[in-house]
Amino acid sequence: MQLKTRITGAMTALALSLAVPAAAQEATAQVDLAQIAPAALRQDLLKGVYGAVEIPGRNQLWVASSPSFEQGTPGFVDILDATDLRPLRRIELPRRAFALALDAARGRAYVGNTLDGSLTVLDAASGLVLDTIQLGKPDGEGFEHTRMVRVDPGSGQVFVTSPSDTGTLWIVDPDRQGAVQRIDDAGLWSAGLALDAARGRVYATGGGISEVLVVDAATGAGIGSFSTGDTKEAGGEASAHFFVNAALDTEGKRLFAADANQGALYVFDTETGAVIATAPTGLGTLDVIYSDKRDQIFVTYRGVSREAPSGSGGIVVLDASDYARIADIPLPAHPNSLVLAESGDALFVTVKAPMEKEHPLYREGGGDSVLRFDLDKLATLLPRQ
């Protein structure tokens, strides 16, 4: 393995030459929503939705929400029926809720309290709050932020990223009363997180010169880093990329990284760290998930930027064998998080309503959405390439 090898400019140029041509990608028209309606269900009862997680043994989808950013306001976990999205129960939390992860073996759910820099630990059966684990240090009037949360299904270790200018990765050990290991200098804006439990590897993704940090899951030791080679100087202003979220194809040894800066998907070889493909995905690219059952990649894009604040986003579906675009599904206004059902037969998406009153789709008091796609039905309705 050559995990410690950084990608040279020549290797990057070669890798980018393997990417699907942008013109071919952009030629794929957006799907008419009426065309795929038989494969979709939508629930609009919630406000401030963010992450979600499936509880497969209970046929439930848990959705984290924070209706207000004001300090001291509560967060919520709304429990929906995973088949028809009926609301089943609401759990109020003492801190604002953004990310979600499940430890099925131990019956625990972890809620990332992003703005409070902590984790809320819930009993996955009763919904009772078991603990609050403070991770972030005080930072001004608040705390260092947490972001993505992942759980090793075997060890129960919990991994949490912090997208700061230096980057932090926390590892929480539930078998030692929630003991926390802190790894600093995890990389500029270390926001994204992917876990290969079988190989004992954690991938923290962000920006900077080396955009991906590889960590030994058992010890927390750094193993190496991946770099596109596109950023030559340190600091956020010089960063060509921001890999805000990541997903893995463990069998194919590929890391899929959603690049918010470039509006593209980057594919890394996890053996060598080389960029093996890129594919344009859309303005404000955000989340990515891989279906090994279908060999497809799903990517959300918000459709907006600071320079273009009035757009609307969707989901891009890519063929993971050649990175060709299968479809672009518009989902007004801002698709956010993706969850793939354990069966591989359903895809859940949280979609945020615009918060800015100037946005053409803004509605006073409007709610956010949760969508469920039946992927078998969707496959029959999408255009054939």
Side-chain angles (χ1 to χ4, degrees):
M1 291 176 56
Q2 297 176 326
L3 286 171
K4 294 186 179 180
T5 303
R6 293 185 177 180
I7 312 309
T8 65
M11 289 176 66
T12 302
L14 174 62
L16 292 177
S17 72
L18 302 176
V20 180
Q25 295 278 345
E26 294 168 356
T28 305
Q30 283 192 336
V31 172
D32 184 342
L33 285 179
Q35 175 186 343
I36 62 165
L41 287 172
R42 175 176 159 175
Q43 173 64 272
D44 294 335
L45 287 177
L46 312 181
K47 293 181 182 295
V49 301
Y50 288 93
V53 69
E54 184 196 25
I55 315 292
R58 297 177 177 273
N59 192 40
Q60 296 175 351
L61 181 73
W62 287 27
V63 183
S65 64
S66 290
S68 172
F69 279 5
E70 292 297 320
Q71 192 168 2
T73 55
F76 299 90
V77 170
D78 284 277
I79 302 177
L80 308 180
D81 184 289
T83 301
D84 60 15
L85 301 185
R86 285 180 297 115
L88 301 175
R89 187 156 44 113
R90 165 168 269 205
I91 302 167
E92 182 175 320
L93 305 176
R95 298 188 177 188
R96 293 159 289 184
F98 294 89
L100 271 170
L102 174 69
D103 183 348
R106 293 161 183 78
R108 292 181 175 183
Y110 293 89
V111 185
N113 314 126
T114 295
L115 301 179
D116 301 289
S118 63
L119 290 176
T120 298
V121 187
L122 297 178
D123 180 83
S126 66
L128 293 175
V129 176
L130 303 178
D131 196 6
T132 299
I133 303 172
Q134 186 64 45
L135 300 174
K137 298 176 182 177
D139 182 13
E141 295 182 359
F143 295 90
E144 296 171 309
H145 290 178
T146 60
R147 192 173 182 273
M148 297 305 297
V149 183
R150 294 284 185 265
V151 178
D152 186 319
S155 69
Q157 287 178 299
V158 186
F159 303 90
V160 186
T161 56
S162 177
S164 64
D165 285 344
T166 56
T168 300
L169 176 68
W170 291 284
I171 304 176
V172 181
D173 188 343
D175 295 330
R176 293 195 297 127
Q177 290 73 50
V180 177
Q181 178 181 0
R182 179 186 175 112
I183 301 166
D184 284 314
D185 297 319
L188 178 69
W189 311 323
S190 55
L193 184 61
L195 170 66
D196 186 342
R199 298 179 66 205
R201 298 288 184 265
V202 179
Y203 301 88
T205 67
I209 295 173
S210 295
E211 299 96 342
V212 182
L213 175 68
V214 188
V215 172
D216 185 289
T219 67
I223 298 173
S225 60
F226 303 162
S227 174
T228 61
D230 296 334
T231 301
K232 309 301 182 184
E233 300 177 9
E237 292 296 324
S239 186
H241 305 284
F242 177 27
F243 295 127
V244 63
N245 281 305
L248 279 172
D249 168 18
T250 54
E251 289 295 320
K253 299 177 180 177
R254 296 180 293 179
L255 176 73
F256 305 109
D259 188 355
N261 277 9
Q262 300 295 329
L265 180 76
Y266 276 66
V267 186
F268 291 87
D269 182 322
T270 57
E271 288 289 295
T272 66
V275 177
I276 56 176
T278 66
T281 45
L283 184 65
T285 289
L286 183 58
D287 204 5
V288 57
I289 204 161
Y290 171 68
S291 169
D292 56 354
K293 181 176 182 177
R294 299 166 195 280
D295 201 27
Q296 291 180 343
I297 309 160
F298 300 89
V299 182
T300 58
Y301 65 96
R302 293 175 60 83
V304 293
S305 67
R306 290 181 181 178
E307 296 75 23
S310 299
S312 183
I315 298 177
V316 171
V317 186
L318 301 172
D319 186 326
S321 66
D322 59 5
Y323 312 106
R325 184 178 295 201
I326 297 171
D328 184 347
I329 303 171
L331 288 180
H334 306 309
N336 201 72
S337 300
L338 294 166
V339 176
L340 185 67
E342 185 178 62
S343 66
D345 294 331
L347 179 71
F348 302 96
V349 191
T350 62
V351 181
K352 300 192 67 60
M355 300 174 65
E356 302 78 15
K357 292 187 177 182
E358 297 75 21
H359 195 285
L361 297 179
Y362 176 83
R363 300 292 182 270
E364 188 69 34
D368 295 337
S369 303
V370 180
L371 281 88
R372 181 189 189 276
F373 286 100
D374 181 315
L375 293 180
D376 285 334
K377 290 182 180 179
L378 186 66
T380 66
L381 299 172
L382 291 177
R384 302 290 180 181
Q385 299 301 304

